[in-house]
Tab-separated table of all heavy atoms in Angstrom:
chain	number	residue	atom	x	y	z
A	206	LYS	N	-4.618	-8.932	7.360
A	206	LYS	CA	-5.990	-8.529	7.706
A	206	LYS	C	-6.963	-9.027	6.631
A	206	LYS	O	-6.570	-9.388	5.532
A	206	LYS	CB	-6.083	-7.003	7.791
A	206	LYS	CG	-5.137	-6.365	8.771
A	206	LYS	CD	-5.819	-6.197	10.114
A	206	LYS	CE	-5.057	-5.307	11.062
A	206	LYS	NZ	-3.830	-5.789	11.577
A	207	SER	N	-8.245	-9.002	6.955
A	207	SER	CA	-9.258	-9.337	5.955
A	207	SER	C	-9.410	-8.150	5.006
A	207	SER	O	-9.024	-7.018	5.334
A	207	SER	CB	-10.586	-9.664	6.622
A	207	SER	OG	-11.143	-8.500	7.182
A	208	TYR	N	-10.017	-8.415	3.851
A	208	TYR	CA	-10.167	-7.376	2.831
A	208	TYR	C	-10.954	-6.180	3.360
A	208	TYR	O	-10.523	-5.033	3.233
A	208	TYR	CB	-10.848	-7.962	1.594
A	208	TYR	CG	-11.325	-6.928	0.617
A	208	TYR	CD1	-10.436	-6.300	-0.250
A	208	TYR	CD2	-12.662	-6.548	0.558
A	208	TYR	CE1	-10.860	-5.333	-1.139
A	208	TYR	CE2	-13.102	-5.585	-0.335
A	208	TYR	CZ	-12.198	-4.989	-1.178
A	208	TYR	OH	-12.628	-4.026	-2.052
A	209	SER	N	-12.107	-6.438	3.968
A	209	SER	CA	-12.971	-5.332	4.416
A	209	SER	C	-12.342	-4.545	5.559
A	209	SER	O	-12.443	-3.317	5.618
A	209	SER	CB	-14.349	-5.856	4.825
A	209	SER	OG	-14.231	-6.915	5.728
A	210	GLU	N	-11.627	-5.238	6.459
A	210	GLU	CA	-10.957	-4.556	7.578
A	210	GLU	C	-9.811	-3.674	7.069
A	210	GLU	O	-9.651	-2.532	7.507
A	210	GLU	CB	-10.418	-5.602	8.562
A	210	GLU	CG	-9.842	-5.036	9.821
A	210	GLU	CD	-9.278	-6.095	10.752
A	210	GLU	OE1	-9.435	-7.297	10.465
A	210	GLU	OE2	-8.674	-5.699	11.751
A	211	ALA	N	-9.035	-4.199	6.128
A	211	ALA	CA	-7.910	-3.439	5.572
A	211	ALA	C	-8.402	-2.210	4.811
A	211	ALA	O	-7.832	-1.123	4.936
A	211	ALA	CB	-7.091	-4.335	4.655
A	212	ARG	N	-9.477	-2.373	4.058
A	212	ARG	CA	-10.007	-1.251	3.284
A	212	ARG	C	-10.514	-0.136	4.210
A	212	ARG	O	-10.296	1.039	3.946
A	212	ARG	CB	-11.143	-1.733	2.383
A	212	ARG	CG	-11.444	-0.767	1.277
A	212	ARG	CD	-12.372	-1.372	0.252
A	212	ARG	NE	-12.441	-0.618	-0.957
A	212	ARG	CZ	-12.787	0.659	-1.064
A	212	ARG	NH1	-13.050	1.357	0.006
A	212	ARG	NH2	-12.850	1.259	-2.230
A	213	LEU	N	-11.144	-0.528	5.293
A	213	LEU	CA	-11.635	0.442	6.270
A	213	LEU	C	-10.470	1.188	6.930
A	213	LEU	O	-10.518	2.407	7.094
A	213	LEU	CB	-12.481	-0.267	7.325
A	213	LEU	CG	-13.227	0.631	8.296
A	213	LEU	CD1	-14.322	1.396	7.565
A	213	LEU	CD2	-13.816	-0.182	9.417
A	214	MET	N	-9.409	0.437	7.277
A	214	MET	CA	-8.224	1.067	7.878
A	214	MET	C	-7.610	2.086	6.923
A	214	MET	O	-7.250	3.193	7.336
A	214	MET	CB	-7.170	0.002	8.220
A	214	MET	CG	-7.470	-0.807	9.443
A	214	MET	SD	-6.259	-2.118	9.680
A	214	MET	CE	-4.771	-1.187	9.968
A	215	LEU	N	-7.491	1.707	5.650
A	215	LEU	CA	-6.860	2.582	4.660
A	215	LEU	C	-7.652	3.869	4.434
A	215	LEU	O	-7.068	4.925	4.200
A	215	LEU	CB	-6.694	1.841	3.333
A	215	LEU	CG	-5.621	0.759	3.302
A	215	LEU	CD1	-5.761	-0.083	2.047
A	215	LEU	CD2	-4.235	1.354	3.398
A	216	GLU	N	-8.977	3.785	4.508
A	216	GLU	CA	-9.791	4.967	4.276
A	216	GLU	C	-9.574	6.044	5.338
A	216	GLU	O	-9.751	7.225	5.064
A	216	GLU	CB	-11.269	4.593	4.215
A	216	GLU	CG	-11.637	3.931	2.905
A	216	GLU	CD	-13.098	3.563	2.823
A	216	GLU	OE1	-13.905	4.154	3.563
A	216	GLU	OE2	-13.417	2.683	2.017
A	217	PHE	N	-9.192	5.633	6.548
A	217	PHE	CA	-9.044	6.594	7.634
A	217	PHE	C	-7.594	6.929	7.980
A	217	PHE	O	-7.355	7.693	8.909
A	217	PHE	CB	-9.793	6.096	8.874
A	217	PHE	CG	-11.279	6.113	8.686
A	217	PHE	CD1	-11.965	4.943	8.446
A	217	PHE	CD2	-11.973	7.309	8.692
A	217	PHE	CE1	-13.335	4.952	8.239
A	217	PHE	CE2	-13.334	7.335	8.493
A	217	PHE	CZ	-14.022	6.149	8.262
A	218	MET	N	-6.641	6.371	7.253
A	218	MET	CA	-5.242	6.727	7.475
A	218	MET	C	-4.946	8.063	6.793
A	218	MET	O	-5.498	8.346	5.727
A	218	MET	CB	-4.314	5.650	6.917
A	218	MET	CG	-4.186	4.445	7.789
A	218	MET	SD	-2.913	3.371	7.120
A	218	MET	CE	-3.266	1.878	7.976
A	219	PRO	N	-4.068	8.869	7.368
A	219	PRO	CA	-3.824	10.209	6.828
A	219	PRO	C	-2.792	10.286	5.700
A	219	PRO	O	-2.421	11.381	5.300
A	219	PRO	CB	-3.312	10.971	8.058
A	219	PRO	CG	-2.613	9.934	8.849
A	219	PRO	CD	-3.406	8.671	8.660
A	220	TYR	N	-2.333	9.150	5.171
A	220	TYR	CA	-1.240	9.177	4.190
A	220	TYR	C	-1.771	9.253	2.766
A	220	TYR	O	-2.801	8.676	2.429
A	220	TYR	CB	-0.359	7.940	4.353
A	220	TYR	CG	0.109	7.729	5.762
A	220	TYR	CD1	-0.297	6.624	6.497
A	220	TYR	CD2	0.952	8.651	6.374
A	220	TYR	CE1	0.133	6.433	7.797
A	220	TYR	CE2	1.383	8.471	7.675
A	220	TYR	CZ	0.968	7.356	8.372
A	220	TYR	OH	1.388	7.185	9.658
A	221	ARG	N	-1.023	9.932	1.894
A	221	ARG	CA	-1.392	10.115	0.492
A	221	ARG	C	-1.398	8.785	-0.269
A	221	ARG	O	-2.208	8.576	-1.172
A	221	ARG	CB	-0.392	11.081	-0.148
A	221	ARG	CG	-0.698	11.464	-1.572
A	221	ARG	CD	0.303	12.483	-2.061
A	221	ARG	NE	1.626	11.921	-2.210
A	221	ARG	CZ	2.155	11.563	-3.388
A	221	ARG	NH1	1.478	11.730	-4.494
A	221	ARG	NH2	3.359	11.062	-3.451
Side-chain angles (χ1 to χ4, degrees):
K206 303 267 192 291
S207 69
Y208 167 78
S209 51
E210 186 182 354
R212 198 169 194 303
L213 188 68
M214 284 175 64
L215 288 168
E216 284 180 21
F217 291 103
M218 282 187 196
Y220 308 115
R221 185 176 69 102

